[in-house]
Amino acid sequence: MTTPHPPFGRFFLPGPTEVRPEVLDAMRKPVIGHRGPAMRELLAGIDPDLRALFGTERPVYVSTSSATGLMEAAITGLCGRRVLALVCGAFGDRFRAIAERCGRPVDAIRVEPGQPSTPEALREALRARPGRWDLVTVVHSETSTGVLSPVADLAAVVREHDDLLLAVDGVTSVGGVEIRFDDWGADFLLTGSQKALALPPGLALGVASERALERAARVPAASFYFDLLAFERRAREHQTTNTPAVSLFYALERQLGRIRAEGLAGRFDRHRAMAKRCEAWVDGLRATLDSGFGILAREGYRSPTVTAVTLPPTLRAGDLVRALDERGFTIATGYGDLKQRCIRIGHMGDHTVAELEALLTETGEVMRTALLASSAAPRIGGS
Ligand SMILES: *Cc1c(COP(=O)(O)O)cnc(C)c1O
């Protein structure tokens, strides 16, 4: 008995993303005891692929939780004093809110939607108040705006200071953008299974630096479930901290094999090509439909995995999303304050330019229809 899958290439949310049927099928294997040799073999087998994905020689943890769990692990494990949150959108603000909820004093450097977090602003803040913070948080690919912040440069600024750590939310970058955790000198970097890795939701993955672990050993009141030291210890033994979602690990194993077969460089090229195609499409909309179309993210800082398209004032994102849904395609509205002003297209995971092309054609038609209707409406009303 199998559940029929709709054709692949219709579901473009910026998370969760579409999962290949063969990856879903991997989850049909029998459940096994997680302290037995089969689980240890599985974890040892995926270990090299995980390290390659994160650009690290350190062990990568797999947590049975969504990505937010490991964001909480970063805050509770790495901040003993005060957090500086770099906020360029809703997910940067989530990191700030987690710090607040976990009882850590927190300051934020905010920028306008579409702008990246910059090393200049960070350097200036750290210079103005030396020693105030012991942890900086940043989102690599800000899913709410489609901005890719320059994490390597931000990490270099953090490294200018002693006793300061950098935690990176790589939820929509890992698997779609090259990650060089060791070379950058970041201290913690996390992702979730359901974004650019194109796995079902339910797993989070992360890696910590030696500096981070030293800090975690000194910070009191860390979480029990999200204990970085426990993750590190267990990962080195090819074990998990608690009962893992074994079925999802089967999917992870299958997907890492698929990623290896494609090659990381090829995978990153494919994501860049999809983002470029979106950009060109928006240029076309501007030229042929309405000059009000645009891309929210500043040029030079656009994420290869998600594009937020700003709409002319006559169009509402909710209407477009609904109209596309009727045609069998799924995209997202804007996020938070930008809900009606933008649509967001998640071109990440296993999508191809060809599949994206079909979506863009449909979306263009839906936009054209909505624009015609909006320009017709006042004439009808006024006559
Ligand atoms: C989706 C997302 C999250 C939250 O992930 P969960 O898996 O829902 O906890 C955090 N950060 C970014 C950038 C995201 O896109």
Side-chain angles (χ1 to χ4, degrees):
M1 197 181 63
T2 49
T3 313
H5 293 286
F8 194 89
R10 302 281 173 88
F11 188 80
F12 289 85
L13 284 188
T17 54
E18 204 161 352
V19 181
R20 290 277 174 195
E22 62 264 43
V23 175
L24 290 171
D25 284 345
M27 295 196 293
R28 295 167 54 82
K29 287 200 245 179
V31 167
I32 50 172
H34 59 280
R35 295 295 178 221
M39 188 66 192
R40 211 161 28 241
E41 243 168 65
L42 188 159
L43 290 169
I46 63 177
D47 180 80
D49 288 329
L50 288 175
R51 293 183 200 227
L53 196 61
F54 279 76
T56 186
E57 292 181 359
R58 305 192 54 77
V60 174
Y61 322 145
V62 186
S63 159
T64 293
S65 67
S66 87
T68 306
L70 284 186
M71 293 169 83
E72 202 164 310
I75 297 292
T76 55
L78 302 179
C79 175
R81 198 158 65 234
R82 194 177 187 98
V83 175
L84 178 57
L86 305 181
V87 178
C88 73
F91 290 102
D93 196 57
R94 172 180 296 219
F95 233 156
R96 184 206 56 76
I98 291 169
E100 196 173 82
R101 179 70 69 89
C102 293
R104 305 308 198 271
V106 54
D107 302 297
I109 302 180
R110 294 177 187 279
V111 294
E112 288 300 306
Q115 300 299 316
S117 297
T118 66
E120 293 77 18
L122 175 61
R123 182 177 283 117
E124 194 182 305
L126 295 174
R127 202 171 274 161
R129 315 198 65 169
R132 180 175 172 85
W133 302 283
D134 61 354
L135 178 66
V136 175
T137 62
V138 67
V139 176
H140 190 194
S141 166
E142 176 51 78
T143 318
S144 64
T145 61
V147 164
L148 192 77
S149 283
V151 167
D153 300 340
L154 293 166
V157 172
V158 168
R159 291 280 73 86
E160 292 165 8
H161 297 259
D162 291 333
D163 208 30
L164 184 63
L165 301 181
L166 178 66
V168 182
D169 169 345
V171 177
T172 47
S173 63
V174 175
V177 180
E178 184 177 32
I179 303 294
R180 304 177 56 131
F181 181 78
D182 291 354
D183 292 348
W184 293 343
D187 296 297
F188 190 67
L189 196 147
L190 68 106
T191 190
S193 51
Q194 80 281 19
K195 304 280 174 91
L197 291 176
L199 283 161
L203 297 179
L205 300 87
V207 59
S209 71
E210 198 61 52
R211 282 180 301 269
L213 296 171
E214 283 164 18
R215 173 75 62 78
R218 284 188 283 122
V219 168
S223 161
F224 186 91
Y225 192 81
F226 295 112
D227 178 349
L228 293 178
L229 296 175
F231 276 119
E232 175 79 15
R233 196 169 52 244
R234 288 306 201 172
R236 285 186 180 282
E237 298 164 350
H238 302 309
Q239 290 269 334
T240 57
T241 48
N242 306 288
T243 309
V246 169
S247 311
L248 289 171
F249 280 70
Y250 288 138
L252 174 63
E253 182 185 39
R254 176 75 58 91
Q255 181 66 334
L256 288 170
R258 294 184 69 258
I259 291 173
R260 192 185 333 114
E262 181 180 16
L264 283 173
R267 191 173 176 88
F268 302 147
D269 285 347
R270 178 165 55 76
H271 281 83
R272 261 194 304 273
M274 288 192 286
K276 284 281 161 230
R277 180 63 198 107
C278 264
E279 262 182 49
W281 174 70
V282 173
D283 285 343
L285 294 178
R286 224 182 356 254
T288 61
L289 278 188
D290 192 302
S291 59
F293 286 105
I295 290 182
L296 181 62
R298 178 167 147 197
E299 203 166 353
Y301 297 92
R302 290 177 180 164
S303 174
T305 61
V306 53
T307 299
V309 180
T310 53
L311 304 173
T314 46
L315 293 185
R316 287 175 63 78
D319 297 339
L320 296 177
V321 168
R322 250 189 318 279
L324 269 172
D325 183 60
E326 281 164 18
R327 291 167 176 243
F329 285 84
T330 305
I331 61 166
T333 61
Y335 199 100
D337 296 343
L338 299 164
K339 188 169 174 66
Q340 293 300 342
R341 284 180 42 215
C342 292
I343 54 166
R344 288 176 306 140
I345 299 172
H347 34 76
M348 69 180 97
D350 286 344
H351 285 134
T352 62
V353 174
E355 290 152 3
L356 177 67
E357 200 62 55
L359 171 79
L360 298 180
T361 302
E362 294 285 335
T363 309
E365 281 173 22
V366 159
M367 287 168 160
R368 193 182 308 272
T369 308
L371 281 169
L372 282 173
S374 74
S375 65
R379 246 176 289 151
I380 293 165
S383 64

